[in-house]
Structure formats: C-alpha cells, structure tokens
Amino acid sequence: MDYRDVDIINHQRGWDGYFKLDVYELRHKQFNGDQSQIIRREVLERGHAVAVLPYDPVRDEVVLIEQFRPATLSVHKNTPEMPAWLTEIVAGIVEPGETLQDVARRETIEESGCSIIGDLEIIIPRYYASPGCSSETVQIFYGQVDSEKAGGLHGLDEEGEDIRVFTKSSDECFAMLRDGIFCNAPTIMAIQWLTLNRDRLRHAARTSIK
C-alpha cells in the first residue's frame, strides 16, 4: 500500500511557527480491503535531520556536545533523572537545496568546531524519528575528525544555540552508554555502532598514516 490508498478529506495548517503543525482528517485502506473510519490526526512538520558521529580514530576520541532541549522540560520536571541538558552527537536540520552530506559537514563545523576529514560513512540509513506524530526523518553518518583542539562553546547566536563541546574516549562513551547517560536515539545508535566498528576505523586510520 502507498499514499494512493489514503483519502485526505481535510488538511489545514494548525500552527505555523518555529515548527509547523498540520491537521488531517483522513481514511485509509485497511489490510482486509475495507476503508478505515475517518480519523483526525495532528502531524508535526519538523523538517528532516542529519546526525553525525564525530570520531577521531587516531586519538580514539568522540567529540560530544551538550545543550538545552526545551522538549525535555515536562519530563525532567517529573522525572529528574531524565536531564534537560542532553549529551549528544552533532545534528541539524536539512535546509532547502542542501544534500544530507552538506548538512553533515556544515553542522559538524557549526556545533563542534571540527571539520570532517575525507568521506562520510552512513551509520543508520534514513528512518522515521517518531512517525506516530511527526514527519521528521533522520540519517546518521560517521565523520572522521581531528579532536586535538575540540572544546569550548559553539553554535549560532541567531538560532539561540549554546553548545558545550568536549571529548571522551571511546571506552568512556561505551561506559556512558551502559550507564544510561545518553538518552536520545541518534547518539545511542551511533555509539552502539562505534562499539562494533572502532577497531576497523582505527586500523584504517593507522594504515592511511603509514
């Protein structure tokens, strides 16, 4: 089944701010061949995102960022162990005319101060972040960086970003993963991927140096 099996009865923009909220009334073909009842749903038009794991295979260090996330407030207020300032990998929204690779390189510079060395490698192909309520898709890349001078505060003033940059060894990141320090999906998936690929990346880096 595809979009042709959906009958959109009404569609309107319910909110047009920093994010967009669209309201749908629709019905769709069911697996038994019948039409569903009419359902009303709100869809958050978040835009599409790219995340990047900035890893230095020479120093065996991951460049991480920490920043405030407004959507955490209601959770953090009632569940204090869930933080409002999140430790994450680099991520950003795809702007018109940009490729996913363009975004990966731009956001890595803007958010961490590091530049991607060589080609990007796909960690996780494009996936729906939360399709029950949002149209957002995410693709996660690995990008090699030089972490020697990584640190400090970064981000764009015009976007209200206040991003702290720091490094951790891969072993420290693996411990943070086990201890539940990472609590956003792209970071968790990227660090899990690194547990499986660290040796390969380090070997490739040593070979290229020789």
Side-chain angles (χ1 to χ4, degrees):
M1 290 189 282
D2 60 28
Y3 71 94
R4 290 169 293 189
D5 296 305
V6 180
D7 178 18
I8 299 175
I9 299 165
N10 188 34
H11 170 216
Q12 59 185 352
R13 178 61 48 91
W15 179 259
D16 195 4
Y18 183 71
F19 298 128
K20 320 296 181 184
L21 186 71
D22 285 352
V23 182
Y24 289 89
E25 289 184 11
L26 55 82
R27 59 190 167 207
H28 62 83
K29 185 178 180 180
Q30 299 184 131
F31 290 113
N32 64 7
D34 294 339
Q35 283 289 312
S36 71
Q37 62 180 321
I38 295 174
I39 57 177
R40 185 178 189 273
R41 294 290 185 270
E42 294 80 31
V43 175
L44 177 66
E45 291 292 342
R46 168 76 167 82
H48 302 290
V50 167
V52 184
L53 174 68
Y55 173 62
D56 183 337
V58 177
R59 293 181 173 78
D60 193 24
E61 289 182 337
V62 176
V63 179
L64 295 170
I65 64 175
E66 183 182 20
Q67 62 183 321
F68 171 67
R69 292 299 200 180
T72 65
L73 283 177
S74 62
V75 178
H76 177 67
K77 180 179 179 181
N78 297 300
T79 313
E81 61 269 25
M82 292 293 289
W85 273 257
L86 301 187
T87 299
E88 304 173 331
I89 59 173
V90 166
I93 299 297
V94 180
E95 301 294 342
E98 287 187 307
T99 68
L100 301 182
Q101 291 81 3
D102 290 339
V103 182
R105 293 181 185 278
R106 172 176 59 78
E107 288 291 340
T108 302
I109 293 172
E110 290 178 3
E111 294 195 346
S112 75
C114 298
S115 297
I116 300 295
I117 300 168
D119 295 332
L120 291 155
E121 180 175 343
I122 294 175
I123 290 178
I124 301 290
R126 202 168 182 184
Y127 67 93
Y128 287 108
S130 184
C133 65
S134 174
S135 65
E136 180 184 17
T137 62
V138 182
Q139 181 156 302
I140 308 176
F141 290 100
Y142 153 66
Q144 181 177 341
V145 297
D146 180 352
S147 66
E148 182 179 11
K149 297 180 181 179
L153 301 179
H154 294 268
L156 299 179
D157 290 340
E158 61 266 31
E159 294 184 7
E161 293 179 328
D162 179 42
I163 300 171
R164 183 175 76 92
V165 176
F166 60 101
T167 62
K168 292 287 185 181
S169 71
S170 59
D171 284 334
E172 288 175 311
C173 287
F174 301 158
M176 293 167 73
L177 180 67
R178 291 192 299 269
D179 294 341
I181 304 300
F182 301 123
C183 53
N184 77 308
T187 305
I188 291 170
M189 288 188 281
I191 299 302
Q192 287 176 330
W193 178 89
L194 186 60
T195 66
L196 301 175
N197 290 274
R198 175 178 62 172
D199 291 345
R200 173 178 66 84
L201 299 176
R202 299 208 72 197
H203 175 74
R206 288 193 296 267
T207 302
S208 65
I209 292 172
K210 293 177 182 179

